[in-house]
Amino acid sequence: MPTVVLMDSSLSMTRPVSVEGSEEFQRKNLAVHGLTMLFEHMATNYRLEFTSLVAFSSLWELMVPFSRDYNTLQEALNNLEDFDKTCLEAALQGVSNVVQQEWGTSCPCQVILVTDGALGIGRGSLRHSLQTVKQRVEDKKFPLPFPFPSKLYVMCIANAEELQATDSMDNLEQLINLNGGEGQIYTMEGPLCLKSVQSMFGKLIDQAYSPFHAVLRCGNLTSDVQVFPRPEPVTIDEEVDPIPKTVQTEGDEIGTGATDDTEEETSTNQMAGKSPNFCVLLHGSLKVEGMVALVQLGPDWLGMLYSQADSKKKSNLMMSLFEPGSEPLPWLGRMSQLGPASDAAENPYGEDDSKSPFPIQPKNKRSYAQNVTVWIKASGLQTDVQKILRNARKLPEKTQTFYKELNRLRKAALAFGFWELLKSVAELLERECTLLPDSAHPDAAFQLSHAAQQLKLASSGDSKYAAYEHNITPMLTDFSGGGGADRI
Amino acid sequence: MSTTISRAGMRMFSVSHKTALVVDHCPYMAESCRQLIECDMLTKSRSQGVIPLAPVSKCLWTCAIECSMEYCRIVYDVYPTKKLVNYIVSDSEVHILNSWKQEDQNTQQLMTALAAVGPPNPRQDPECCSVLHGLVAAVESLCKITEYQHESRTTLMDTADRVANRGRIICLTNAKSDTHVRMLEECVLETIQEQNKRAAGSDRLMPIQQCELVLVHIYPQGEETLVSDRQKKALSSVLSSEVHSVRAGRYLACKLNVLVQQHFDLASTTITNIPMKPTLNICEQEEQHANTSANYDVELLHHRDAHMEFIKSGDLHMAGSTSRDSGLKETVTLKWCTPRTNSVELHYCTGAYRISPVDVNSRPSSCLTNFLLNGRSVLLEQPRKSGSKVISHMLSSHGGEIFLHVLNSTRSTLEDPPSISEGCGGRVTDYRITDFGEFMRENRLTPFPESMVDAACRTPVERAKSQLERHTRYWPMIISQTTIFNMQAVVPLANLIVKDTLTDEDVLTCQKTVYNLVDMERKSDPLPISTVGSRGKGPKRDEQYRIMWNELETLVKAHVGTSERHQRVLDCISACRSKPPEEEERKKRGRKREDKEDKTEKNGKDTEEKGWTADSERLKGVMEREKDEQSECEIIKDSPDSPEPLNKKPRLATEEQQPPEKSKGPVSLLTLWTNRITQANSRKHQEFAGRLSSVNNKAELYQHLKEENGMDVHENGKATR
């Protein structure tokens, strides 16, 4: 996930620290040293992650937009100038804007605030911001919590005692709380020196920037893999299952399915050598065959592996994580019920690969797929009545459709307890009967009066005629030579 | 990145897990709602001299049923499982129309049950009818455990108390006054207390921890309401209640539409600019308006997370406009983008949400849904302040269900990934890509019914994993690492040996394969031995066969523990393979080589012994076996016997049945094809016994006579002398 480094460039950062030896260091130098270490770590282990650098004092400035070029970041860091006082709220707002503009609000980000813990005085100080946090109007809200999923790490170029002497520590803790508890405060242990700043950034690296190494396993074929971005633990149901699910480092490939859908988020796999590697083999075959492989990440948690090409030339093995659960993609069914196709009595993919057992159809059709009757709007009811009348005028040719529509209306009217409608439609049909032209087929009159009579019977509520499952069937007439009765 | 799917605060057993819908069926519900519907729409040509029929009007009951069914329809569309509705009708008694069971959760079943209930009888004695019966039944019902709660409790065992029991009661009634409403609330409160005591001592019941009562008072149009609206307020720690006073008809429909959105975290999206021209063919039903090419709007409901990006970025009010119909709720308007091609594109998708059309059987709605159900997809464009075009969503169906897909419209952190060839193993060029493709096809998954468990009680997915394990016990990844997998002649054996069980026939086929190889060796057919990494001519023919036999043994040994029949295949190989007999070899070779040879054979035997290990040993892990294989490979490669290798491409495959001139070169496409067909055909019939035991496709006839008579016999019975 992307990182924003928010570097304090206020004047207080230039305070010298007493170091034994000849060289005199400023706090800023220690901060730069720590960040250099972080950048070096990322350049080696996390080179696919994006990082940006924002410097702030009373104003803030985007020094380096999100980039994988750690040399540029380092250079900008080395050339930071010193400015005036600390004004954190505006800077955090800046970070929020920078991240949203680049990644939107669904991409998680880590924000690393590097400061000496002198958080400003008076207006614009963190203390002032926090005191007024509840009295904000809608458009001047405090930037925390960030609208995107985030972790806020505060790297203090100061030790805990120093921060606790003032209210700085309290204010910083409040800051983390405002971010929903997402984040952590790091302070320096012992004297302010290069060693302790290294140790502090070391802890941050262990916590937030440890590479994700895993083993991808397909039966006895295995490969060591590293996953970018690192998959983070997920809590599915805070109540029933409050422990976050973590991705197991043993990925079990469980078989392949030929679906073409990408869901959920993705991470890229990338490995580093020259001996044959299973990932390359898998990638090659997935690409050639146009298949995806399912991969198990933990109990009841699956994902899929596939070949993804960014440009025409470069492609890599990608892993998409499904939502944890037994049935992440409804059209694949319950994942534990997926077994080898060779166990099936008949090859579900067909001898010539012309079939597929997917997608699985749901047991019940959705309303939009089953021709439901809704009369909430008058127009819905009118359309249904008109359909019946239209077909009534084309009897006996449309006998089948006529009765189909008639029965649909009848069923709905019975369920809704709308007996008045049945009577009314019966009357309409009787009137149609009287309006039949002389040229009309004699069968038409019979069918119309038969249908009208049946509707009237249903509207009486008599269980013999008003049963929901009962269907009105066309009347058998002597005119059935070309009539509709035969066709039923 | 998994945080995109972490919905902190998600609770499976929230209030919306169980909804008890109580509809009043008392005589006063038979009263007309006083909204007239003209259903006699006379066409101009026929209107002369005909008196139109009187318009119809629905009764309060019909209005309540229609709107509550619409509520259910939307819930079932968006949540096909885990959100349950219990439908209760109340008059002088209680009619419970369905249960919490998942199989009871569909509108068809409810419609059937409602038809059986019929409209209220206005002549029934109002004194003995009350909605109270229904409310009491609703509370009792909420105490009943659902199959999901049961399943969760059983799996959680000692932490079963984490499974909560919450629910909502929606009561559609016609109340007399505010006092009457208070009385209903009191009744629910008391019943909850009573039932909770009962439930505490039962396995099948759970005390209600939280209950939301939603009372909807329905009154006819043109009347003054006798009940006042009241916002949600807590009546006790368990029960909260709210009162909505609504006119019957479309007002009620709107109210329930708003409620279903609130209750189930739904949001509304209006697809605008849907072209319904006949040319586009998305709407074939468009009969009357065939000549108009107006653009239509369709409103859809779905989980509100599909709007997360708008909500968080504050674009919601910008993008949204007020829904035309309701005037109450908000909808986000997205523009239809006419699909240019039919091609399946993979979009970077961050979520998919089921939809339900608000106006399901209106023409534009059914046109859109049919279009999608037929397999087409529609991209949706988000109007932006800047006027730039941003595709933010996609509508598409999977297995008869339509989903609103959220597409990533900002920069992706996955952009510009490195090529896999830059990584480990990326420089290796002779991966068995095609073979692994075949492997994947053989290991494809398919859904099995829940009841299907095999003898060892393994779930289908466990069977799939075990199949993968068997199929990969010996699977060299690159062409130059293997001889046998480059030989067509080995295919029948290689396909069979990985199976869990072998039939006698399978064993016979394997043995036949071995005999073929023996025959090939006798004829000194060339083998596709890899010459990668070696210079010169490559190993001599007999050495080639030794390598091949070793590899074949390795393959079969990996499976020897599976069954006694697998063992028989190995026995056959051991018996038939060209012995690396010390004596003969030594005679042929110079004495100088003798020592080296000895050493190799010893090593070979060592690995052989390891390979023979029993089941438990086999499970010890891949690593060890890989080592074994590696050492064996090394032996083959580093064999001091190997003459200077030649710099030729490895031969792909040789087939015993091939004409001799072809067997010398690589296999032609025709041969590959013919073999494939022959193989496929051979599965469909039982092979002639003669052909099975044939050598070079030539079978000796009347062998039994030979055995019987001990001499050659001619057809006509005349013995030859």
Side-chain angles (χ1 to χ4, degrees):
Chain A
M1 64 182 99
T3 297
V4 184
V5 173
L6 182 58
M7 175 76 172
D8 188 343
S9 336
S10 66
L11 210 53
S12 64
M13 286 291 279
T14 60
R15 282 183 287 163
V17 287
S18 46
V19 186
E20 295 143 50
S22 53
E23 257 190 294
E24 186 149 293
F25 281 116
Q26 297 176 350
R27 293 193 190 228
K28 180 182 158 190
N29 302 128
L30 292 181
V32 169
H33 182 74
L35 284 172
T36 304
M37 180 177 153
L38 177 68
F39 288 164
E40 275 169 6
H41 171 80
M42 307 238 323
T44 345
N45 299 295
Y46 259 93
R47 61 191 176 85
L48 294 181
E49 298 287 18
F50 291 90
T51 302
S52 86
L53 179 66
V54 175
F56 78 102
S57 55
S58 62
L59 302 170
W60 64 273
E61 186 183 353
L62 178 60
M63 306 304 289
V64 182
F66 285 99
S67 162
R68 285 170 173 161
D69 182 356
Y70 287 93
N71 291 332
T72 312
L73 283 158
Q74 186 64 48
E75 207 174 305
L77 185 64
N78 294 339
N79 297 328
L80 274 187
E81 289 175 51
D82 306 320
F83 297 95
D84 56 345
K85 62 174 188 172
T86 312
C87 192
L88 195 54
E89 181 175 343
L92 290 171
Q93 188 59 56
V95 168
S96 181
N97 295 345
V98 165
V99 171
Q100 283 186 78
Q101 267 170 29
E102 198 86 29
W103 312 108
T105 55
S106 55
C107 175
C109 264
Q110 322 219 57
V111 179
I112 299 177
L113 166 63
V114 186
T115 176
D116 58 348
L119 300 164
I121 42 162
R123 222 165 224 291
S125 69
L126 182 61
R127 186 186 302 118
H128 181 259
S129 292
L130 292 173
Q131 278 164 355
T132 59
V133 83
K134 290 208 175 95
Q135 305 141 25
R136 307 301 182 93
V137 284
E138 186 61 37
D139 56 340
K140 285 210 171 111
K141 280 214 159 139
F142 193 70
L144 295 185
F146 288 122
F148 45 88
S150 66
K151 297 254 195 243
L152 175 62
Y153 297 108
V154 185
M155 311 303 291
C156 297
I157 311 298
N159 51 41
E161 297 77 43
E162 190 185 339
L163 296 172
Q164 276 151 2
T166 63
D167 60 352
S168 291
M169 190 57 126
D170 290 342
N171 288 334
L172 288 174
E173 276 168 4
Q174 226 179 314
L175 203 61
I176 303 287
N177 285 339
L178 277 175
N179 201 37
E182 296 290 344
Q184 204 172 326
I185 301 165
Y186 291 87
T187 55
M188 288 170 70
E189 279 162 31
L192 303 186
C193 61
L194 291 178
K195 219 175 117 196
S196 50
V197 84
Q198 276 171 13
S199 128
M200 177 171 75
F201 273 88
K203 280 181 202 151
L204 172 72
I205 288 170
D206 288 346
Q207 162 81 25
Y209 294 94
S210 57
F212 188 90
H213 291 288
V215 179
L216 181 67
R217 200 179 283 290
C218 168
N220 294 308
L221 298 168
T222 60
S223 174
D224 292 328
V225 294
Q226 194 185 346
V227 182
F228 294 107
R230 191 171 80 168
E232 300 291 332
V234 177
T235 310
I236 305 149
D237 185 319
E238 54 167 30
E239 193 169 80
V240 175
D241 198 6
I243 304 138
K245 277 187 182 259
T246 46
V247 174
Q248 286 181 350
T249 47
E250 299 260 306
D252 237 336
E253 192 206 323
I254 60 164
T256 43
T259 48
D260 297 325
D261 301 276
T262 7
E263 305 299 331
E264 307 309 344
E265 42 28 279
T266 26
S267 4
T268 109
N269 264 325
Q270 198 262 300
M271 299 112 241
K274 258 185 187 172
S275 56
N277 187 302
F278 173 60
C279 276
V280 186
L281 173 68
L282 177 67
H283 169 263
S285 299
L286 289 174
K287 188 177 182 178
V288 170
E289 303 284 337
M291 290 169 92
V292 302
L294 289 179
V295 60
Q296 181 154 22
L297 306 153
D300 255 357
W301 196 2
L302 290 111
M304 64 177 184
L305 295 169
Y306 54 98
S307 164
Q308 161 128 346
D310 203 32
S311 58
K312 285 274 183 294
K313 279 178 193 165
K314 289 202 278 184
S315 61
N316 208 325
L317 193 62
M318 294 287 266
M319 180 167 76
S320 285
L321 273 60
F322 301 148
E323 198 160 329
S326 58
E327 214 173 322
L329 303 180
W331 53 94
L332 295 188
R334 202 177 258 265
M335 288 301 200
S336 60
Q337 291 306 119
L338 295 180
S342 50
D343 281 8
E346 196 182 321
N347 185 353
Y349 291 92
E351 288 304 324
D352 49 354
D353 259 358
S354 57
K355 294 192 291 186
S356 170
F358 304 107
I360 296 177
Q361 299 287 330
K363 277 191 199 118
N364 292 311
K365 281 186 173 177
R366 302 289 151 256
S367 69
Y368 44 81
Q370 59 177 343
N371 196 16
V372 291
T373 313
V374 180
W375 291 332
I376 284 179
K377 286 187 182 169
S379 61
L381 176 60
Q382 285 157 350
T383 312
D384 284 348
V385 173
Q386 287 304 310
K387 261 188 220 163
I388 293 175
L389 288 184
R390 250 200 331 269
N391 287 301
R393 283 162 203 154
K394 290 175 189 162
L395 286 172
E397 287 77 26
K398 294 278 185 181
T399 307
Q400 231 174 337
T401 343
F402 170 73
Y403 279 101
K404 195 184 131 210
E405 290 299 332
L406 192 74
N407 280 312
R408 194 166 80 91
L409 175 124
R410 177 187 170 278
K411 276 194 160 62
L414 286 172
F416 296 149
F418 200 178
W419 293 355
E420 197 185 334
L421 177 72
L422 294 175
K423 287 184 197 118
S424 199
V425 174
E427 280 172 38
L428 273 176
L429 294 179
E430 278 169 352
R431 194 186 63 196
E432 279 304 316
C433 197
T434 64
L435 292 175
L436 283 172
D438 297 339
S439 58
H441 192 285
D443 200 26
F446 280 104
Q447 298 298 351
L448 283 175
S449 49
H450 167 69
Q453 192 204 359
Q454 290 291 317
L455 285 186
K456 276 190 175 162
L457 285 168
S459 76
S460 69
D462 184 337
S463 57
K464 196 177 154 199
Y465 300 99
Y468 185 77
E469 294 305 337
H470 176 78
N471 274 319
I472 303 175
T473 48
M475 189 186 194
L476 287 169
T477 65
D478 295 337
F479 307 99
S480 40
D486 273 10
R487 281 185 260 146
I488 302 300
Chain B
M1 283 273 291
S2 1
T3 8
T4 44
I5 49 171
S6 87
R7 295 199 207 118
M10 273 295 281
R11 288 189 303 203
M12 158 124 186
F13 301 114
S14 67
V15 176
S16 60
H17 178 56
K18 289 160 131 175
T19 305
L21 249 170
V22 181
V23 187
D24 195 341
H25 192 249
C26 295
Y28 48 76
M29 293 294 283
E31 205 178 315
S32 163
C33 76
R34 291 185 215 149
Q35 281 182 55
L36 299 179
I37 306 164
E38 206 70 60
C39 64
D40 190 12
M41 311 277 284
L42 289 168
T43 47
K44 283 168 206 150
S45 56
R46 317 176 93 242
S47 56
Q48 282 118 12
V50 181
I51 308 146
L53 291 175
V56 289
S57 87
K58 298 170 186 168
C59 62
L60 294 182
W61 163 259
T62 300
C63 293
I65 295 302
E66 270 189 337
C67 298
S68 57
M69 284 308 293
E70 188 66 1
Y71 184 98
C72 295
R73 179 186 70 78
I74 291 165
V75 174
Y76 294 149
D77 272 356
V78 181
Y79 299 95
T81 59
K82 293 174 190 170
K83 304 284 180 206
L84 311 170
V85 180
N86 189 203
Y87 208 108
I88 298 166
V89 172
S90 177
D91 44 41
S92 62
E93 51 178 351
V94 171
H95 311 262
I96 298 175
L97 304 191
N98 67 344
S99 74
W100 294 126
K101 280 195 190 124
Q102 187 61 61
E103 67 202 54
D104 279 4
Q105 303 293 315
N106 61 76
T107 48
Q108 296 96 310
Q109 189 177 336
L110 292 176
M111 292 281 270
T112 314
L114 281 169
V117 170
N121 180 359
R123 284 176 294 281
Q124 206 176 7
D125 179 10
E127 288 307 309
C128 59
C129 293
S130 170
V131 75
L132 276 175
H133 304 301
L135 288 172
V136 171
V139 173
E140 285 171 0
S141 176
L142 287 181
C143 285
K144 286 183 190 149
I145 190 166
T146 67
E147 51 197 351
Y148 296 105
Q149 287 175 317
H150 178 68
E151 199 189 318
S152 261
R153 287 216 303 190
T154 3
T155 44
L156 287 173
M157 296 296 280
D158 47 337
T159 50
D161 54 333
R162 283 198 198 133
V163 177
N165 190 35
R166 307 187 180 91
R168 184 179 284 122
I169 301 174
I170 302 173
C171 177
L172 305 179
T173 185
N174 176 283
K176 305 280 164 293
S177 60
D178 284 345
T179 331
H180 185 206
V181 167
R182 294 299 97 76
M183 189 270 285
L184 296 176
E185 288 173 338
E186 279 303 315
C187 164
V188 172
L189 191 58
E190 275 169 36
T191 318
I192 289 177
Q193 283 159 356
E194 272 168 41
Q195 290 298 321
N196 276 0
K197 274 184 213 146
R198 253 189 73 205
S202 165
D203 249 8
R204 285 275 139 192
L205 300 177
M206 284 173 88
I208 300 168
Q209 287 158 308
Q210 192 192 340
C211 178
E212 278 182 24
L213 177 63
V214 182
L215 281 165
V216 183
H217 164 67
I218 311 168
Y219 61 96
Q221 273 217 306
E223 265 184 31
E224 286 295 309
T225 176
L226 303 167
V227 174
S228 38
D229 268 3
R230 210 197 56 222
Q231 298 221 311
K232 186 164 150 182
K233 85 170 190 204
L235 299 182
S236 79
S237 58
V238 177
L239 182 68
S240 69
S241 165
E242 62 191 270
V243 182
H244 303 272
S245 180
V246 199
R247 270 176 291 175
R250 59 195 171 93
Y251 302 97
L252 179 64
C254 286
K255 174 56 82 180
L256 281 183
N257 188 290
V258 171
L259 287 178
V260 77
Q261 292 192 52
Q262 281 172 10
H263 294 165
F264 291 92
D265 292 332
L266 305 183
S268 153
T269 296
T270 300
I271 319 297
T272 189
N273 253 9
I274 304 176
M276 295 218 312
K277 286 179 258 184
T279 46
L280 247 169
N281 208 22
I282 78 154
C283 188
E284 289 156 352
Q285 305 169 4
E286 198 66 3
E287 291 165 27
Q288 288 132 331
H289 311 289
N291 296 323
T292 61
S293 58
N295 290 338
Y296 289 86
D297 288 3
V298 171
E299 187 184 349
L300 306 173
L301 294 181
H302 48 79
H303 196 279
R304 66 164 170 234
D305 277 0
H307 287 168
M308 203 44 93
E309 192 76 19
F310 301 140
I311 297 169
K312 283 185 168 172
S313 63
D315 273 355
L316 191 63
H317 297 283
M318 219 299 293
S321 65
T322 311
S323 170
R324 289 175 305 162
D325 299 327
S326 62
L328 286 166
K329 58 190 186 214
E330 283 187 326
T331 184
V332 167
T333 305
L334 295 174
K335 208 177 133 208
W336 158 292
C337 296
T338 301
R340 285 194 184 80
T341 56
N342 234 342
S343 73
V344 186
E345 275 176 85
L346 272 184
H347 296 278
Y348 178 47
C349 164
T350 55
Y353 303 90
R354 288 189 177 85
I355 61 103
S356 183
V358 171
D359 209 356
V360 64
N361 57 358
S362 78
R363 240 185 216 134
S365 282
S366 61
C367 287
L368 176 67
T369 51
N370 286 336
F371 182 75
L372 296 166
L373 289 172
N374 285 334
R376 309 282 302 265
S377 300
V378 176
L379 292 171
L380 301 174
E381 184 189 322
Q382 179 199 349
R384 281 253 169 126
K385 287 169 206 157
S386 55
S388 61
K389 184 173 166 170
V390 178
I391 305 286
S392 62
H393 292 77
M394 179 181 78
L395 279 169
S396 181
S397 72
H398 307 279
E401 289 188 282
I402 299 173
F403 292 81
L404 180 64
H405 299 68
V406 182
L407 304 181
N408 187 51
S409 48
T410 50
R411 189 177 171 191
S412 160
T413 52
L414 301 172
E415 70 177 30
D416 197 23
S419 168
I420 194 149
S421 61
E422 291 165 25
C424 176
R427 298 270 166 252
V428 181
T429 50
D430 63 338
Y431 283 107
R432 294 170 57 204
I433 300 282
T434 317
D435 290 353
F436 198 72
E438 185 62 35
F439 169 93
M440 292 198 303
R441 248 180 276 127
E442 279 163 13
N443 283 285
R444 265 190 297 204
L445 298 171
T446 195
F448 284 90
E450 295 278 336
S451 51
M452 270 270 288
V453 237
D454 71 347
C457 283
R458 293 180 303 174
T459 58
V461 78
E462 282 165 347
R463 291 207 307 273
K465 283 192 215 172
S466 118
Q467 177 170 315
L468 277 183
E469 191 279 322
R470 283 200 314 277
H471 282 218
T472 54
R473 280 186 200 160
Y474 179 69
W475 213 95
M477 288 195 280
I478 54 175
I479 293 164
S480 54
Q481 246 173 20
T482 180
T483 306
I484 55 170
F485 291 113
N486 299 332
M487 293 166 65
Q488 201 61 40
V490 181
V491 167
L493 185 147
N495 281 346
L496 286 170
I497 201 73
V498 295
K499 280 169 67 176
D500 213 4
T501 50
L502 292 181
T503 61
D504 280 331
E505 210 176 316
D506 293 338
V507 175
L508 206 65
T509 313
C510 291
Q511 288 168 341
K512 169 84 189 319
T513 308
V514 175
Y515 300 152
N516 278 344
L517 293 173
V518 172
D519 198 51
M520 282 168 69
E521 186 171 21
R522 194 176 48 75
K523 294 192 297 177
S524 267
D525 286 346
L527 291 181
I529 294 277
S530 161
T531 51
V532 170
S534 54
R535 280 170 290 138
K537 281 181 68 186
K540 280 189 180 146
R541 193 66 32 102
D542 57 345
E543 182 59 24
Q544 286 181 359
Y545 274 90
R546 215 174 64 79
I547 293 169
M548 186 277 289
W549 286 116
N550 279 344
E551 198 189 359
L552 191 65
E553 266 186 4
T554 309
L555 168 70
V556 178
K557 273 178 195 163
H559 295 276
V560 83
T562 314
S563 79
E564 181 267 333
R565 290 198 173 97
H566 288 80
Q567 173 70 52
R568 268 160 56 193
V569 177
L570 181 68
D571 292 347
C572 172
I573 296 174
S574 309
C576 296
R577 69 167 288 184
S578 55
K579 308 277 181 305
E582 279 88 330
E583 311 91 81
E584 290 156 317
E585 293 289 309
R586 269 179 219 155
K587 276 178 207 161
K588 284 181 190 168
R589 293 165 189 176
R591 292 201 66 80
K592 280 179 192 171
R593 281 185 180 171
E594 205 179 291
D595 292 347
K596 290 176 186 172
E597 174 82 6
D598 233 19
K599 207 172 154 192
T600 319
E601 287 307 315
K602 244 186 202 164
N603 283 343
K605 282 223 174 92
D606 278 354
T607 45
E608 212 163 297
E609 267 159 32
K610 275 188 200 165
W612 277 90
T613 44
D615 257 9
S616 57
E617 281 289 314
R618 200 187 68 224
L619 294 171
K620 258 190 172 175
V622 204
M623 296 312 284
E624 226 175 63
R625 194 176 316 107
E626 274 184 353
K627 245 184 257 166
D628 286 358
E629 283 161 12
Q630 230 166 21
S631 58
E632 194 148 342
C633 283
E634 272 160 23
I635 291 158
I636 297 168
K637 278 183 181 163
D638 301 338
S639 168
D641 290 337
S642 314
E644 290 303 298
L646 80 167
N647 220 347
K648 255 186 181 174
K649 273 188 184 172
R651 296 223 159 87
L652 282 172
T654 32
E655 239 262 335
E656 188 254 337
Q657 281 96 341
Q658 279 173 17
E661 67 270 16
K662 273 188 184 166
S663 70
K664 295 258 157 58
V667 175
S668 72
L669 189 60
L670 175 68
T671 324
L672 277 173
W673 179 250
T674 320
N675 287 338
R676 197 188 146 99
I677 295 293
T678 320
Q679 219 188 312
N681 287 339
S682 70
R683 280 195 221 111
K684 294 177 186 153
H685 65 85
Q686 204 173 356
E687 189 56 285
F688 294 117
R691 199 175 289 160
L692 263 179
S693 57
S694 68
V695 176
N696 271 343
N697 249 349
K698 283 173 192 157
E700 199 169 345
L701 295 173
Y702 310 110
Q703 285 173 325
H704 62 288
L705 292 177
K706 212 196 270 181
E707 281 155 27
E708 278 163 25
N709 301 344
M711 57 173 93
D712 291 345
V713 178
H714 272 305
E715 186 177 28
N716 54 12
K718 285 176 197 162
T720 47
R721 292 169 204 243

